[in-house]
Amino acid sequence: MVPECELFIIERCTKYLLEVGLAANLQGFRYLRDAIIYIVKDKSLKRNLNKALYPLVAKDFDVNISVVERAMRHAIDVASAKGGMDGLGRIFNCYTFNYGYKPSVGELISLIGEKLTLEANEYIIDTLK
């Protein structure tokens, strides 16, 4: 992947996670950002989170797989308790995600990963012009 595009993906991913209401000081925030970036780079990881994606994230941070999964769930729980998940509606310009909606870890990773994939493709096309 082009280094400028990778930086673009990291910045956008961070922006979206903050907009959703995830607290940047939680370790789950960092794990989610890493997981989403892996998904954007390799779509096949989305099919098997527990045996493919989580071990990659755990290896990056030198922790156990269960720690990664629990921290990501905790970050989503905290954001949901504060009512922040309605930020998904703003990101996707739809009102499907109403107040009190709480996505699963896999759902959040997939949603933001797909959005970033589309935006990264547009970014690459725009830079080639």
Side-chain angles (χ1 to χ4, degrees):
M1 192 174 278
V2 182
E4 300 89 35
C5 186
E6 196 163 339
L7 183 60
F8 172 82
I9 291 168
I10 293 167
E11 288 173 355
R12 281 291 172 102
C13 185
T14 302
K15 176 186 173 224
Y16 290 150
L17 290 174
L18 289 171
E19 191 168 335
V20 164
L22 292 171
N25 64 324
L26 297 177
Q27 195 63 35
F29 179 93
R30 292 173 194 84
Y31 297 158
L32 280 165
R33 184 174 52 198
D34 238 33
I36 292 167
I37 292 167
Y38 272 123
I39 290 288
V40 172
K41 290 180 181 178
D42 183 4
K43 291 268 187 236
S44 67
L45 294 172
K46 194 177 355 177
R47 286 185 288 246
N48 201 350
L49 298 177
N50 291 328
K51 293 189 180 179
L53 181 62
Y54 294 165
L56 287 173
V57 175
K59 184 178 176 189
D60 284 351
F61 290 93
D62 195 32
V63 294
N64 194 326
I65 297 167
S66 61
V67 171
V68 169
E69 188 175 5
R70 186 175 56 243
M72 289 192 284
R73 267 196 327 267
H74 175 70
I76 291 172
D77 288 344
V78 170
S80 183
K82 292 180 180 179
M85 285 297 166
D86 60 340
L88 282 172
R90 288 190 299 276
I91 293 170
F92 291 98
N93 294 324
C94 67
Y95 296 100
T96 306
F97 309 106
N98 57 4
Y99 185 80
Y101 176 75
K102 186 176 117 181
S104 66
V105 173
E107 187 178 6
L108 185 65
I109 290 170
S110 293
L111 282 168
I112 296 177
E114 285 299 319
K115 175 88 170 158
L116 286 173
T117 300
L118 293 172
E119 290 180 356
N121 290 338
E122 288 176 16
Y123 180 82
I124 291 169
I125 290 170
D126 287 346
T127 57
L128 294 175
K129 289 181 182 177

